[in-house]
Amino acid sequence: SLDLNAECATAMTAEGFVHTNLLRDPEAGFQRYEEALRVNPNDSLAWLLSGALHAFRDEGEVAVVEVQRALSLSPLDPMRYFYDSLAATAALAANDYQSARAYALRSLRTNSAHTSTLRALIIAEALLGDTAAATRATDRLYRLEPNFSIENFLARSPSNISDFGRRCAAALRVAGVRESTDSGDQS
């Protein structure tokens, strides 16, 4: 798409997502989101994904501001569950666990099988001290993703090198998530 139209904000945003989540190059992801927003300052998805990247980098307050902008730009988005899921992530990064839980629950009302949202809910509930609710959400997650573990969460999350990622992993441990899917490790 960018070869056909170098100023396509949607394609820039998609490329930013690829850099961030697949190529593990968050700096290139940020650059693409910034370019997309230069071309179209009202691109809600670019604001949303940029906000999530700020969350992954321990910049919770910036993450919340950007995600809120995304939500305001697209209040009736057909992918609202995804927006709410990343709003939960931003709230977690900002240490606002009540809001994180509220966003996660709203997201799950629309898409009960979104495992990323279930992870955010587990983390929020564990950080709120509601271990029983976090454990119930963990059981729900395992029904959808039986091989989920802290090891594979950290391996695939852009937050894996940040304090935020380590706080999330610790909260997942509190909720009883396995360290790894190796048959010898049932912790």
Side-chain angles (χ1 to χ4, degrees), residues 112-131:
S112 63
H114 194 240
T115 57
S116 180
T117 304
L118 278 168
R119 290 190 300 270
L121 179 62
I122 292 164
I123 293 163
E125 289 177 333
L127 292 171
L128 285 167
D130 193 345
T131 308

Side-chain angles (χ1 to χ4, degrees), residues 22 38 73-74 101 103 122 128 131 151-153 164 171:
L22 301 177
R38 179 188 51 78
L73 288 168
S74 193
R101 178 168 47 190
Y103 279 119
I122 292 164
L128 285 167
T131 308
E151 179 182 65
N152 65 33
F153 165 75
F164 175 65

